[in-house]
Amino acid sequence: MIVVDELTKSYPATGGTGTIDALRGIDLRIDEGEVFGIVGPSGSGKSTLLRCLNLLERPTSGRILLRGEDLSHLSEGRLRGSRRRIGTVFQQFNLLHSRTVRANVEFPLEVAGVRRTERRDRAETLLELVGLTDKRDAFPSQLSGGQQQRVGVARALAAEPDVLLCDEATSALDPATTEQVLDLIATVNRTLGVTIVVVTHELSVVRRICTSAALLDGGRIVESGPVADLVADPVSRLGDALLPAGVGEQNGDVTALVTARGSAVATPWLSRLSRDVGVDVAVVGGRVDRVAGTDIGKLHVRFDGDVDRDAVDRFFAALPDVTVAWTTGVVARVGA
Ligand SMILES: Nc1ncnc2c1ncn2[C@@H]1O[C@H](COP(=O)(O)OP(=O)(O)OP(=O)(O)O)[C@@H](O)[C@H]1O
């Protein structure tokens, strides 16, 4: 649905010669219906990538394809039309304070020349979706931060975009309100089928709603993939940060990371492994948490004595939703 192909963006360096390479060759593939998180430290290029995606900036080189159409080299006229295919929710809400809630939601439709009755109908439907029907005639200053962001979500959806971009959409909110707004974004994804791209520095946002994620560092994608796969990968930096579970390997111990998803988290696989394969197993690290609506359990285990790795692999291959990755020799990393 969205393909980013060797995207670069450079800015002239301030007060000198040369350039700042904010994006250094980004390749990304975001599938239809995903909630895709883009995370990274400050200065890694998140905002620049977002501004390229919502067509506020032109890339220096590379392409952005939305449903096969190249958006990176459009004329100004075509660009305006294409911008409507991408709705953005901003950190600071960016509402028009002299307009009522409903008039804010109608605003993008007014700009697009949509008829008054149709504008009104669509705004009412969206206000119902975000739970603000009773606030339709209020002004933004009469709303809480969470309510203002709900208006921001409704407004971003008004032009029926293919993609909803969320730019640090919950960073200005308190934790309880953050959860409500994230739940709303997940509901929008589920009920309207809109693809969502979330740019954030908060891993908790990825943990709560993202199905896939990419880690950006120094203007490059360091790793990306389905969140559950990243979490199950013993050498994934992002997977470890999302669900830190300590680590087991010391001095050549035979160790493995076992990851269980969904109902498999609650199965007694550890005692069965010991009994069926005839191995002694010690638990040396672990964590169970909810990630993107699914329970995921990660357990670092150490095998004592002789262990038949093929037999262990066969045991886990027969268990649905449980995977094993041998971590012997993998550099130790201790989670928070
Ligand atoms: N308009 C600009 N002119 C010059 N340099 C810029 C511009 N915008 C961004 N940069 C530089 O590009 C790099 C990436 O910045 P960007 O704002 O995209 O990072 P970020 O990951 O969003 O950071 P943060 O989380 O702090 O907002 C930084 O070195 C920044 O100084």
Side-chain angles (χ1 to χ4, degrees), residues 49-96:
L49 178 57
L50 186 116
R51 288 197 304 271
C52 288
L53 286 175
N54 68 12
L55 312 179
L56 289 177
E57 295 235 31
R58 290 211 187 244
T60 304
S61 67
R63 299 187 308 163
I64 297 171
L65 305 176
L66 179 57
R67 291 191 175 154
E69 190 189 0
D70 187 352
L71 302 181
S72 24
H73 299 98
L74 295 176
S75 65
E76 276 304 318
R78 304 259 330 263
L79 204 59
R80 266 195 296 280
S82 291
R83 279 201 186 108
R84 273 181 226 130
R85 298 174 61 190
I86 302 158
T88 305
V89 181
F90 301 93
Q91 178 176 1
Q92 298 299 341
F93 324 134
N94 295 10
L95 301 179
L96 296 166

Side-chain angles (χ1 to χ4, degrees), residues 11 20 22 41-48 51:
Y11 298 104
I20 295 167
S42 182
S44 58
K46 300 183 299 294
S47 309
T48 306
R51 288 197 304 271

Side-chain angles (χ1 to χ4, degrees), residues 103-115:
N104 264 282
V105 178
E106 284 186 32
F107 184 67
L109 300 173
E110 244 175 84
V111 174
V114 174
R115 278 185 308 118

